[in-house]
Amino acid sequence: MTRRRRTACLVAGLVAACAITQTACGGPHRSAHASGSYDAEVRADSPSLYLPLGAGGPQKRSVGVTGVTLHHAPGVTTLPDGDRATVFDGISQYVEVPDSDRLSVTATGELTVEAWMRPDALTFARTAGTGYVNWLGKVADQGGGSEWLARMYSRDNTEVRANRISGYVFNRDGGLGAGSYFEDKVRPGEWIHFALVVNTREKSAAYPTGYVKVYKDGVLRDQDSLDDYDITPSNTDAPMRIGTADTESFFKGAIGKVAVYDSEVPRSRLADHYRAMTANPRESAART
């Protein structure tokens, strides 16, 4: 299954006066949490980067990144398991993570990107292209630095893709990308577990140069060939952003537990992650 993909026009403009920088460091610690907790499940799979987001104690610190920057003071909300996540206003707020080789597909030929997302609107105020928001990704502001991203279409987009949620991988110069998606009814305020997989090592007649996959709630929903659009992933110096990927379109809602792995996380493990979050829901009714 193939679909046309197009990157957004990228706009520079970080406002230093509105940015807050936090330093985080560390590595995988399999015993950091009680067995079965969400953080323990993720750390057991050795992420290159783990950014829980939201406020938290030392045990919640990120893995594999320094100098995380919060732009325009995003808020805090609650995940289904009671942990905290970051909430974005859909206008200007986002989180930026500096470039690292291990956030690129080319580091090992495999990449998994995982996050929890909670859309708080079905129609977004600041969109790109045909009416979508790039809510997580590693792309540059001025072109020549496209790698991968996650996207959600506004309900009123012009491609008749109402609230489609998708993931893409691009050639360095952008343009059309290879991607996979799911297009289900979205309820504002409902949490969704999203995972994007890119694999250039596992090849077959159906996937001669590898594939891209998208999961929802631990279930594989779509898989497409990189060969559909002659995609050869690159390693660029673009940062990774959360709440936006391009500083043009902005996500209204919450995002938490962002993890990037330099391997393809197995389907069974993504399902384990989903169950760890939802087994004992303790989400507060309050929204920030």
Side-chain angles (χ1 to χ4, degrees), residues 183-263:
E183 192 171 317
D184 302 335
K185 182 176 181 180
V186 176
R187 297 176 179 85
E190 183 175 63
W191 283 101
I192 297 168
H193 181 229
F194 172 90
L196 166 68
V197 170
V198 183
N199 193 322
T200 64
R201 299 179 64 186
E202 292 292 327
K203 301 173 184 179
S204 65
Y207 306 107
T209 60
Y211 51 75
V212 55
K213 298 177 177 177
V214 160
Y215 289 79
K216 178 189 179 185
D217 295 346
V219 177
L220 177 63
R221 296 296 302 273
D222 193 15
Q223 180 171 349
D224 295 83
S225 178
L226 299 180
D227 191 54
D228 288 343
Y229 294 104
D230 298 320
I231 300 302
T232 302
S234 297
N235 182 349
T236 76
D237 60 2
M240 186 183 85
R241 298 189 183 100
I242 305 162
T244 185
D246 48 30
T247 65
E248 179 183 5
S249 60
F250 290 85
F251 181 71
K252 182 175 177 59
I255 302 172
K257 307 293 189 183
V258 176
V260 180
Y261 309 80
D262 60 4
S263 63

Side-chain angles (χ1 to χ4, degrees), residues 100-178:
S100 168
D101 288 347
R102 296 189 72 190
L103 302 180
S104 298
V105 177
T106 54
T108 63
E110 302 177 19
L111 191 77
T112 302
V113 182
E114 177 183 33
W116 283 83
M117 62 178 298
R118 189 194 74 199
D120 288 343
L122 300 181
T123 299
F124 299 107
R126 295 194 61 182
T127 61
T130 58
Y132 50 73
V133 170
N134 296 324
W135 58 273
L136 169 65
K138 192 174 189 296
V139 295
D141 281 326
Q142 297 298 330
S146 295
E147 295 194 31
W148 54 265
L149 58 79
R151 175 177 295 170
M152 180 173 175
Y153 283 79
S154 193
R155 182 169 56 183
D156 60 350
N157 74 88
T158 60
E159 293 184 82
V160 196
R161 297 177 175 181
N163 298 137
R164 176 181 294 188
I165 296 171
S166 48
Y168 305 88
V169 60
F170 300 94
N171 290 321
R172 175 182 291 269
D173 293 333
L176 298 177

